[in-house]
Amino acid sequence: EKFLEEDGRRLFLLYVRPVINGKGNYYIESRTRNHRRTDVIIDFQGRQTVIELKIWRGNEYHLRGEEQLSEYLEYYRLEKGYMVSFNFNKKKQVGVHEVAVGDKILVEAVV
């Protein structure tokens, strides 16, 4: 059965909703003024967080995802953003690490 990014978003939001319940909001595919769409934006306790969700399709695709997230952070004037990669390779390295892209910090989680 094929796993889609939308499936990943649903799973991610199952975890996030109870955390932000009553103390914040989340927006799915929020459209920017330059007609780009972010995957998830969370407003929680006065802070805004941009999260990009990706299915692992190779390193080149992953690097484009990092650049895309960096551009969203620039648009929203944020220094730090988050990327969740759904990787179904048997030899994947799961975990969380930080990556610098220009002057932005990306916290990446591979699941």
Side-chain angles (χ1 to χ4, degrees), residues 12-23:
F12 178 74
L13 290 174
L14 280 173
Y15 169 77
V16 169
R17 271 187 230 153
V19 174
I20 65 172
N21 188 27
K23 296 179 183 170

Side-chain angles (χ1 to χ4, degrees), residues 26-57:
Y26 66 90
Y27 311 96
I28 299 170
E29 292 196 11
S30 182
R31 190 171 176 177
T32 64
R33 288 185 185 153
N34 59 358
H35 304 290
R36 309 262 329 255
R37 291 189 182 271
T38 59
D39 284 342
V40 179
I41 295 179
I42 296 174
D43 290 329
F44 181 70
Q45 295 183 338
R47 296 176 75 189
Q48 192 171 58
T49 303
V50 177
I51 301 151
E52 189 67 21
L53 304 168
K54 294 287 184 192
I55 295 175
W56 181 264
R57 292 191 173 108

Side-chain angles (χ1 to χ4, degrees), residues 73-90:
L73 295 175
E74 187 68 32
Y75 179 84
Y76 286 103
R77 296 187 177 112
L78 299 171
E79 295 178 14
K80 185 184 256 186
Y82 299 84
M83 186 159 80
V84 178
S85 294
F86 298 95
N87 188 332
F88 297 98
N89 295 342
K90 292 183 182 190

